[in-house]
């Protein structure tokens, strides 16, 4: 943040009507119009699909955005670690889905105490082995009280991440949860995105096969009478949400008219920011055929520091500032030279800790002067937000001089 902001509150700083060109580089920004539109697009999409949404909060770790997502109708917030859940709870999130096993004794004691302190608080986590269930129950039995933690059986897949590898193994986990003193079987869950990374035929087939097995597991548990309370079925990242809906939405039966009351929950998280890289190529909601497609709400802004040789510029943003695990930053336009577009005329070939190697191919891009600011499209919001504690929100990333209209705090 610029020296003019030091010592001021966010509200006081915003009353000065700051603009993007008053900020130092490098900087990450969020586009308010795109952000607002993305939240609305996903809320409408899940509502039309007849499922619920518990967006993955670890994407942004920005409680302000969680509040916006909940206000738009989200069922709850998903988190990945117990400390993330504690952050969410400190900001008043009333329903948390921990998309992971919880075997940490300190975390388990905290959950038990929080459930006792506030009976309206809802918490659900996962388990994928009989050993994990036994450990969870043993830790909880050391804590006074009778609160039970609701646990989903996590089903995985071949060469995936966590999760029971077969439906038979998942049944064993369900039996162990059912027999535990301080746990309750709450449903089934998993993550299809760990099984594919593209939209090739083999990738789509792997996702479809997995979702079919997850649906089968829930039906078999219901038929066996394993559920003693309403069930949750959850999957669905940001890459294949339409497939999760295709296979899991038919299980939705929140009133229990056809058996066990069942809530189907998607956990897509990246949609709220989207990107110009991986998710732009993967998400079905980013297709040009969509009436209101998702659009990237994040950009990096970096300044040319050096032109040491023809066709090369060094920018002042690197691995410490911008995501790079799902593709390099994409040069989009220069904030001088009449806002010249760089699409196709330049590419980032490498990142150091604090430098980007911008290769200039032809046209106006080759005239990029030292001091010019380049707007960069980015790939993967999950590894963009974790680098910034305070993120300026601008009114329009395409404006000649974007206005800073808010600041987002992150809690990584």
């Amino acid at each position: 943040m610029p020296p003019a902001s030091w010592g001021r509150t966010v509200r006081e700083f915003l009353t000065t009507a700051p603009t993007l060109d008053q900020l130092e580089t490098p900087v990450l920004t969020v586009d308010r119009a795109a952000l607002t539109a993305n939240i609305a697009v996903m809320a409408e999409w899940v509502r039309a699909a007849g499922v619920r949404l518990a967006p993955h909060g670890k994407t942004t770790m920005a409680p302000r955005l969680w509040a916006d997502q909940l206000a738009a109708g989200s069922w709850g917030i998903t988190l990945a670690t117990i400390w993330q859940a504690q952050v969410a709870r400190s900001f008043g999130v009333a329903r948390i889905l921990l998309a992971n096993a919880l075997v940490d004794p300190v975390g388990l004691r905290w959950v038990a105490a929080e459930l006792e302190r506030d009976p309206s608080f809802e918490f659900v986590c996962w388990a994928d082995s009989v050993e994990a269930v036994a450990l969870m129950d043993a830790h909880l039995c050391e804590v006074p009280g009778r609160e039970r933690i609701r646990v989903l059986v996590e089903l995985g897949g071949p060469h995936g991440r966590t999760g029971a590898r077969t439906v038979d193994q998942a049944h064993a986990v369900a039996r162990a949860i059912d027999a535990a003193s301080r746990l309750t079987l709450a449903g089934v869950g998993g993550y299809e995105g760990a099984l594919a990374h593209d939209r090739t035929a083999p990738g789509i087939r792997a996702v479809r096969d997995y979702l079919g097995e997850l649906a089968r597991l829930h039906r078999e548990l219901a038929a066996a009478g394993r559920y003693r309370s309403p069930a949750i079925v959850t999957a669905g990242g940001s890459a294949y949400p339409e497939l999760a809906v295709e296979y899991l939405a038919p299980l939705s039966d929140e009133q229990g008219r056809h058996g066990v009351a069942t809530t189907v929950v998607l956990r897509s998280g990246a949609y709220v920011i989207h990107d110009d890289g991986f998710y732009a190529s993967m998400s079905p909601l980013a297709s040009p055929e969509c009436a209101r497609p998702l659009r990237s709400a994040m950009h990096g802004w970096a300044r040319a520091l050096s032109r040491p040789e023809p066709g090369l510029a060094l920018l002042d943003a690197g691995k410490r500032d911008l995501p790079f695990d799902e593709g390099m930053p994409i040069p989009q336009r220069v904030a001088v030279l009449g806002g010249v577009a760089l699409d196709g005329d330049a590419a980032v070939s490498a990142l150091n800790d604090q430098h980007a190697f911008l290769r200039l191919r032809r046209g106006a891009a080759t005239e990029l002067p030292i001091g010019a600011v380049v707007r960069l499209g980015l790939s993967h919001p999950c590894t963009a937000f974790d680098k910034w504690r305070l993120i300026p929100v601008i009114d329009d990333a395409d404006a000649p001089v974007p206005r800073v209209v808010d600041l987002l705090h992150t809690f990584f």
Side-chain angles (χ1 to χ4, degrees):
M1 297 300 295
S5 70
W6 299 352
R8 297 175 185 244
T9 65
V10 169
R11 184 173 297 176
E12 289 169 344
F13 174 61
L14 293 176
T15 62
T16 67
T19 52
L20 180 62
D21 60 346
Q22 295 170 7
L23 305 186
E24 299 165 342
T25 55
V27 65
L28 177 78
T29 64
V30 168
D31 186 308
R32 183 175 65 179
L35 175 72
T36 301
N38 290 346
I39 291 174
V41 165
M42 181 57 84
E44 293 168 5
W45 189 80
V46 296
R47 190 160 44 245
V51 299
R52 302 287 188 170
L53 176 67
H56 216 320
K58 59 92 178 169
T59 297
T60 64
M61 284 306 294
R64 172 67 177 276
L65 296 186
W66 301 344
D68 291 344
Q69 291 168 298
L70 289 167
S74 289
W75 175 87
I77 297 293
T78 299
L79 284 311
T81 69
I82 192 61
W83 70 260
Q84 292 174 358
Q86 290 164 345
V87 170
R89 191 68 183 129
S90 73
F91 280 91
V93 176
R95 182 184 281 132
I96 292 173
L97 196 165
L98 186 71
N100 231 333
L102 178 56
V103 295
D104 181 291
V106 176
L108 285 163
R109 287 195 293 268
W110 174 80
V111 172
E114 194 66 10
L115 290 169
E116 181 177 17
R117 186 189 69 81
D118 182 359
S120 68
F121 175 46
E122 295 184 43
F123 178 87
V124 185
C125 64
W126 293 2
D128 69 353
S129 69
V130 172
E131 292 80 5
V133 171
L135 189 59
M136 293 174 69
D137 201 42
H139 286 318
L140 288 169
C141 285
E142 296 174 356
V143 181
R146 293 180 296 178
E147 294 72 21
R148 287 175 171 261
I149 290 181
R150 301 171 69 204
V151 182
L152 304 179
V153 178
E154 182 191 1
L155 182 67
H159 313 296
R161 200 162 62 188
T162 53
R165 287 302 192 249
T166 67
V167 169
D168 286 344
Q169 291 172 357
H171 275 289
V173 177
R175 290 193 295 270
I177 295 171
D178 193 35
S181 301
R182 299 288 295 274
L183 306 176
T184 297
L185 179 63
V188 301
Y191 177 50
E192 73 287 348
L195 304 175
H197 206 68
D198 53 42
R199 284 193 170 268
T200 61
I204 294 296
R205 183 165 56 251
V207 171
R208 287 184 176 278
D209 289 347
Y210 168 74
L211 292 169
E213 289 292 271
L214 188 65
R216 171 192 158 200
L217 173 61
H218 169 69
R219 291 190 180 101
E220 289 181 358
L221 289 174
R226 290 287 175 200
Y227 296 126
R228 303 174 190 273
S229 60
I232 296 168
V233 178
T234 178
S238 296
Y240 308 101
E242 86 289 7
L243 299 182
V245 164
E246 177 185 344
Y247 281 83
L248 303 183
L251 303 176
S252 180
D253 182 14
E254 294 190 348
Q255 303 305 315
R257 295 189 178 94
H258 306 290
V260 176
T262 302
T263 300
V264 175
V265 180
L266 298 190
R267 304 189 313 277
S268 308
Y271 79 90
V272 67
I273 299 298
H274 198 51
D275 68 11
D276 282 309
F278 177 72
Y279 287 110
S281 67
M282 291 289 288
S283 174
L285 301 181
S287 169
E289 299 175 0
C290 293
R292 296 177 62 197
L294 298 175
R295 34 193 190 106
S296 180
M298 67 176 179
H299 298 90
W301 304 79
R303 196 176 305 270
L305 297 176
S306 174
R307 294 294 312 271
E309 60 189 59
L312 174 65
L314 276 297
L315 307 182
D316 63 355
K319 294 179 181 179
R320 300 289 177 86
D321 314 297
L322 305 174
F324 57 93
D325 59 316
E326 292 286 2
M328 288 292 174
I330 304 165
Q332 293 180 328
R333 69 179 179 86
V334 184
V336 294
L337 304 177
V340 64
L342 291 176
D343 296 339
D345 290 339
V348 173
S349 61
L351 294 177
N352 290 164
D353 283 355
Q354 309 285 182
H355 293 89
F357 288 73
L358 181 64
R359 303 292 174 178
L360 306 167
R361 293 168 177 160
R362 60 182 181 274
T366 61
E367 302 174 11
L368 182 73
I370 290 176
V373 174
V374 177
R375 191 184 85 185
L376 300 164
L378 305 175
S379 180
H380 204 194
C382 296
T383 51
F385 270 55
D386 62 359
K387 296 171 174 56
W388 299 87
R389 291 181 60 192
L390 197 62
I391 302 175
V393 179
I394 57 178
D395 60 342
D396 183 359
D398 291 324
V401 183
R403 294 183 300 113
V404 178
V405 295
D406 204 352
L407 298 172
L408 284 178
H409 290 267
T410 65
F411 291 80
F412 285 95

